[in-house]
Amino acid sequence: MVPTSADHPAPSIWRPLKTPAFRNLLIADIISDVGTFMQTVGAAWLMVSLSAGPMYVALTQSASALPFFVFALPAGAIGDIVDRRKLILFTETWMLLVAVLLAGLTLAGLMSPLMLLILTFALSAGDAFESPTWRAVLPELVPKKDLTAAAALNGIEFNFARAIGPALAGVLIAAAGVGTAFLVNAASFFGVIVVIARWKRNARKRTAPAETLTGAMIAGVRYVRYSPEIRAIIFRSGCVMFFASALLALLPSLAHSVKDSPVVYGLLLGCFGLGAVLGALLLQPARARLSTEVVVSGGIVILGLTTTAIASLHALPALSIAMLMGGAAWIVFISLFNVLILNLTPDWVRARVLAVSMLVLQGAVAAGSAAWGALAGRVGIHNALLWGGAGTMATAVLGLFLELPNLNIDVTPWIHWPMPRIVNGAGAADVEDAGPILVTVEYEVITEKTSEFLDAMHRYGRIRRRDGASSWGVFRDLEAENRYLETFMVDSWAEHQRQHERLTQADREIEERVLSYTRSQPKVRHLVSAK
């Protein structure tokens, strides 16, 4: 079903600001993101000033995006296992230290293109470890009804910083040098550290055993693999970003060709950010009138057209207007992709799914930036932008095959399976590490409903695999008519305990449909490997 305006009424976008914790974090994040964009402009301009070619300039963006690809899975797993507040504090402190080192080497005149790439990578590594957790805490800060508005405010905050940061960086670099911009970025981390340190986060209650890092990473990948809606969103966002990355990757070189001044690059990037702010403000009323698919595809097409137009523009006023439109289109599909991921993912695996999404997204940006930089070195910046814009528009066709899901999906826990009584004097603690576990469920199926039952069971099997089953199958009993046996394996008893907590309210419909085709309640058995 195509999501329509009925699926997502548009509440006031400012309502989440009534929540103090969200409001304080948003203000602190504005300051931090302004510093981050000043650092981004400074790094790109410093690379140009060091007489590096378009390839090195484009690799600056690759160095910023690559850590999200390399560290995404462990970062997401850690974000779901440890205290998210403490993890954010650690990563913010790491980025503060790297930013101070970057500023010190630059002010001392010891910076080289290679060292700049290494420190850019190290700074982005801290952000890569923090980002899945930072996004995952959003549903902890605001009620579910305000989640879409809160995500939009985050987009406004980020792009307001994108509009202000580059402009401030351009003026500051022209007046005091790149090193000073790097110092301002280092100072911007203090506000976030103070606010996070004072945040009184509610501790998450666990009834099942805690996951290991390796097991959590496997569970995260498995969840995405057996969630078709999430896979579709992630695949589409990756395809779009590979082509759309051409615009920002080649923007420093394009600005340098217009005028040899950091102010021009800062102005163009600021126009892009300002356009994104305007786009975020227009997003709520647009979603109230149009389907999510139409809004997303429209944003992608407009961004592609804008990139193609920029390839043919040379005057600064025309480029500024085009970047304004490009920023508005960019925020439309990025915000909706993020909101869809948040709405489709339960809390226990949210950071991991966001990490997989970021892995694909930033991997596409890293690969795309390098590819467009290499292409620009061969055919020129303007021709590379033409190809990037055409490719971006072409990805809108994916909406015909990978339709976006409904926004109103309830992923709150549905804990209704009773834990089995363990006999022979053994307690749950004694078998926690035992495994593998074989679970069998016996059904007596209504004869005329067999086809519907099997169809529903295969959908149910995907849920079993998504939540922890390493294998799954359904079998017909040759000795008893209409008797079917569902079997699935779980690696350990502890993992099966966690499986009991992972069903959501959205899964309830599938289970109830399965049971509606049976004559009686199914018989469940739990068996442990007899080692």
Side-chain angles (χ1 to χ4, degrees):
M1 181 179 71
V2 178
T4 63
S5 59
D7 297 319
H8 39 66
S12 171
I13 195 174
W14 311 111
R15 192 167 64 187
L17 294 177
K18 296 179 180 179
T19 305
F22 175 78
R23 183 176 63 247
N24 293 339
L25 285 173
L26 190 71
I27 294 171
D29 210 25
I30 290 175
I31 298 171
S32 180
D33 283 344
V34 167
T36 298
F37 279 109
M38 293 181 72
Q39 191 276 334
T40 300
V41 172
W45 195 255
L46 180 58
M47 190 65 81
V48 172
S49 301
L50 292 172
S51 300
M55 182 64 178
Y56 260 104
V57 175
L59 281 176
T60 304
Q61 182 163 305
S62 294
S64 296
L66 190 58
F68 290 88
F69 183 81
V70 175
F71 301 123
L73 286 179
I78 292 171
D80 282 329
I81 295 174
V82 306
D83 186 318
R84 289 170 177 168
R85 172 181 166 275
K86 292 179 180 178
L87 179 60
I88 293 174
L89 280 175
F90 175 82
T91 54
E92 286 289 324
T93 303
W94 164 265
M95 289 187 285
L96 169 62
L97 296 175
V98 175
V100 169
L101 179 60
L102 181 62
L105 290 176
T106 302
L107 290 171
L110 301 176
M111 190 59 66
S112 66
L114 180 60
M115 181 60 68
L116 180 58
L117 289 177
I118 292 172
L119 291 177
T120 300
F121 180 91
L123 189 62
S124 187
D127 195 15
F129 269 98
E130 179 185 86
S131 289
T133 300
W134 188 271
R135 297 184 188 184
V137 300
L138 185 59
E140 299 181 39
L141 300 173
V142 297
K144 182 177 176 62
K145 62 183 179 180
D146 290 338
L147 186 58
T148 302
L153 283 173
N154 271 346
I156 290 176
E157 170 273 312
F158 181 80
N159 288 286
F160 175 78
R162 189 199 292 270
I164 299 299
L168 291 176
V171 174
L172 188 60
I173 291 171
V178 176
T180 305
F182 290 163
L183 276 178
V184 172
N185 178 47
S188 71
F189 291 107
F190 282 105
V192 177
I193 292 174
V194 170
V195 172
I196 293 295
R198 297 177 61 185
W199 176 32
K200 304 299 182 182
R201 179 176 180 258
N202 294 326
R204 183 169 54 176
K205 297 179 180 179
R206 299 178 185 271
T207 57
E211 297 176 87
T212 63
L213 177 59
T214 301
M217 291 170 61
I218 293 172
V221 174
R222 182 178 60 225
Y223 193 93
V224 173
R225 178 184 177 187
Y226 292 106
S227 301
E229 297 88 355
I230 293 176
R231 285 205 317 270
I233 296 168
I234 291 175
F235 179 77
R236 285 186 65 178
S237 62
C239 291
V240 173
M241 290 307 299
F242 178 83
F243 292 100
S245 64
L247 179 58
L248 293 182
L250 299 176
L251 187 60
S253 299
L254 179 67
H256 192 264
S257 69
V258 174
K259 188 175 182 181
D260 185 12
S261 170
V263 176
V264 174
Y265 176 54
L267 176 63
L268 292 178
L269 198 56
C271 287
F272 188 87
L274 180 59
V277 172
L278 298 176
L281 292 173
L282 295 173
L283 182 58
Q284 292 292 93
R287 287 184 55 245
R289 294 175 175 82
L290 302 170
S291 72
T292 302
E293 183 62 61
V294 169
V295 176
V296 168
S297 297
I300 292 170
V301 170
I302 292 172
L303 180 62
L305 289 171
T306 301
T307 304
T308 303
I310 287 173
S312 305
L313 297 175
H314 303 282
L316 184 57
L319 283 171
S320 299
I321 294 173
M323 289 299 293
L324 198 73
M325 294 177 61
W330 178 286
I331 196 61
V332 164
F333 67 83
I334 287 293
S335 290
L336 287 179
F337 280 146
N338 286 336
V339 170
L340 283 167
I341 292 291
L342 286 172
N343 275 277
L344 290 171
T345 312
D347 181 71
W348 71 269
V349 75
R350 185 174 294 124
R352 279 167 279 185
V353 174
L354 287 168
V356 173
S357 174
M358 290 169 55
L359 185 153
V360 174
L361 201 68
Q362 298 298 335
V365 170
S369 297
W372 299 117
L375 184 63
R378 287 180 173 271
V379 302
I381 296 171
H382 298 284
N383 287 330
L385 285 171
L386 283 174
W387 282 101
T392 301
M393 286 186 284
T395 61
V397 179
L398 292 174
L400 299 176
F401 312 100
L402 300 172
E403 186 177 325
L404 295 177
N406 190 335
L407 278 170
N408 292 338
I409 295 178
D410 189 354
V411 294
T412 54
W414 182 44
I415 304 174
H416 71 293
W417 291 350
M419 288 300 296
R421 182 175 60 90
I422 300 174
V423 297
N424 298 330
D430 299 317
V431 297
E432 185 174 295
D433 296 325
I437 303 297
L438 172 65
V439 182
T440 68
V441 188
E442 184 180 298
Y443 301 92
E444 292 291 336
V445 180
I446 300 170
T447 303
E448 56 271 22
K449 297 292 185 179
T450 300
S451 177
E452 293 90 337
F453 169 79
L454 290 175
D455 180 66
M457 279 301 301
H458 282 284
R459 294 185 63 187
Y460 200 25
R462 189 166 59 226
I463 294 173
R464 303 281 204 201
R465 288 177 176 269
R466 182 201 70 188
D467 290 348
S470 56
S471 63
W472 177 88
V474 59
F475 302 87
R476 180 170 61 87
D477 193 332
L478 295 177
E479 299 180 5
E481 187 179 6
N482 300 328
R483 182 181 296 167
Y484 287 80
L485 189 70
E486 177 194 12
T487 68
F488 59 93
M489 298 282 289
V490 188
D491 290 338
S492 68
W493 182 249
E495 182 67 6
H496 184 58
Q497 287 179 280
R498 290 189 284 267
Q499 198 176 26
H500 273 247
E501 298 182 343
R502 291 172 178 173
L503 273 181
T504 68
Q505 293 291 338
D507 302 325
R508 185 173 187 168
E509 178 187 350
I510 298 299
E511 181 170 315
E512 291 178 345
R513 184 181 303 176
V514 168
L515 295 180
S516 71
Y517 303 134
T518 63
R519 299 182 188 277
S520 59
Q521 284 296 313
K523 299 176 182 178
V524 183
R525 295 180 180 88
H526 298 80
L527 300 92
V528 63
S529 177
K531 296 182 180 178

